[in-house]
Amino acid sequence: QFLGSTEVEQPKGTEVVRDAVRKLKFARHIKKSEGQKTPKVELQISIYGVKILDPKTKEVQHNCQLHRISFCADDKTDKRIFTFICKDSESNKHLCYVFDSEKCAEEITLTIGQAFDLAYRKFLESGGKDVETRKQIAGLQKRIQELETENAELKNKVQDLENQLRITQVHTSPAGSVTPKSPSTDIFDMVPFSPISPQSSTPTRNGTQPPPVPSRSTEIKRDLFGAEPFDPFSCGAGDFPPDIQSKLDEMQEGFKMGLTLEGTVFCLDPLDSRC
């Protein structure tokens, strides 16, 4: 059972450990009175340190590196209790970890001591390089975790910016710009005739040119009676011969005086001489 950890002022010492044990035992009694149980843990002891794991999920709750452990002892007055003091890597504070084991408290303490002996022998064999390597590996692992966290935060920011950019593009679409529409066509895929717009040589959508408008010949044609045919496009006030114009004026005067034609009386207002 893991009673917990508490900060201590000194990295070692029997009295320092006893004070920490009394504090954590008192905290455990309070938790028991409140109905809370003391959590059980699993320990992994090696020449690299002591890991405190959850016995079911195997999740590492605390990883105490061996070169940071400064003191380890069991309680002579209570054979169930054993402790060790470890310097925290982040806060640089000395923490005392206290455990309650019914049968193997003393054996666990001896095992941690053996891990120190093996680590020290390996240190002598490697000339101190192994410890420095472990320190560098530990520092690199911590830096990797920090970079992974920072990378995840940056990815979230980039995703937020992309979403904001998409929303901005939708709201700021060029609503004022009007796309020129192609002229509508009839059922034969032909552009309808417009008397206002001039004729264009642009082919229609089906790829054929519209038929050319026949030009009027400048040669004057005459009918069977030798008179010029009536042309509504060239008809104007000044196009009538003088004799015809005088006769029209006489007929207009006659209509004003009540000229009769086939029993009908005509009385017209002054007419415009234009066609």
Side-chain angles (χ1 to χ4, degrees):
Q1 293 179 343
F2 181 40
L3 273 67
S5 62
T6 181
E7 183 181 356
V8 292
E9 296 180 355
Q10 301 294 328
K12 58 183 178 180
T14 304
E15 293 297 327
V16 174
V17 170
R18 286 179 180 176
D19 292 340
V21 170
R22 283 196 294 266
K23 184 187 295 184
L24 292 175
K25 278 185 175 181
F26 181 73
R28 181 175 66 170
H29 288 307
I30 293 177
K31 291 181 180 179
K32 279 188 176 181
S33 64
E34 294 176 351
Q36 299 182 18
K37 294 183 179 180
T38 304
K40 292 183 179 181
V41 295
E42 177 181 320
L43 295 181
Q44 287 184 356
I45 303 172
S46 66
I47 60 174
Y48 302 106
V50 179
K51 292 183 179 180
I52 304 173
L53 294 82
D54 185 278
K56 294 181 180 179
T57 63
K58 304 301 179 181
E59 181 182 358
V60 179
Q61 299 177 352
H62 301 278
N63 184 13
C64 303
Q65 297 176 358
L66 199 66
H67 67 276
R68 292 183 175 276
I69 296 177
S70 56
F71 189 77
C72 180
D74 53 356
D75 193 347
K76 301 302 179 183
T77 59
D78 189 351
K79 298 295 182 179
R80 299 166 55 99
I81 302 297
F82 70 94
T83 65
F84 63 84
I85 299 175
C86 180
K87 187 177 182 180
D88 186 66
S89 59
E90 296 181 358
S91 62
N92 289 327
K93 296 180 180 179
H94 295 282
L95 302 178
C96 182
Y97 294 82
V98 180
F99 302 87
D100 185 346
S101 179
E102 184 177 358
K103 297 179 179 180
C104 53
E106 185 176 359
E107 286 79 359
I108 293 174
T109 305
L110 293 175
T111 304
I112 294 176
Q114 291 174 357
F116 270 102
D117 291 338
L118 291 174
Y120 182 67
R121 291 177 186 176
K122 194 172 182 180
F123 171 77
L124 293 178
E125 292 174 359
S126 62
K129 295 180 180 180
D130 187 62
V131 176
E132 294 297 328
T133 303
R134 289 202 304 270
K135 287 183 180 180
Q136 292 177 1
I137 292 174
L140 290 174
Q141 288 176 348
K142 184 179 178 181
R143 181 58 181 165
I144 289 172
Q145 292 177 354
E146 293 175 353
L147 291 175
E148 288 178 351
T149 304
E150 184 179 354
N151 189 23
E153 293 176 354
L154 290 175
K155 285 183 178 179
N156 294 331
K157 290 181 179 179
V158 169
Q159 186 66 33
D160 293 339
L161 290 174
E162 289 179 352
N163 295 334
Q164 293 177 4
L165 182 60
R166 292 194 191 99
I167 295 173
T168 304
Q169 288 178 350
V170 170
H171 287 301
T172 59
S173 60
S177 62
V178 179
T179 304
K181 296 183 179 179
S182 59
S184 59
T185 57
D186 55 11
I187 58 175
F188 301 104
D189 198 23
M190 298 289 291
V191 178
F193 172 74
S194 176
I196 301 175
S197 60
Q199 293 291 335
S200 174
S201 61
T202 305
T204 57
R205 292 179 62 183
N206 55 6
T208 60
Q209 285 282 355
V213 179
S215 60
R216 293 191 300 272
S217 176
T218 58
E219 181 182 357
I220 301 174
K221 296 181 181 180
R222 299 183 181 275
D223 56 7
L224 295 175
F225 301 98
E228 294 179 5
F230 176 74
D231 188 357
F233 297 98
S234 61
C235 180
D239 295 335
F240 294 103
D243 55 340
I244 296 177
Q245 184 64 45
S246 61
K247 292 181 180 180
L248 289 175
D249 294 338
E250 290 176 2
M251 291 179 65
Q252 185 176 359
E253 293 294 332
F255 288 145
K256 291 181 180 179
M257 297 172 62
L259 179 65
T260 61
L261 180 62
E262 293 183 0
T264 304
V265 179
F266 293 91
C267 183
L268 302 177
D269 294 330
L271 297 175
D272 190 3
S273 60
R274 292 182 176 274
C275 179

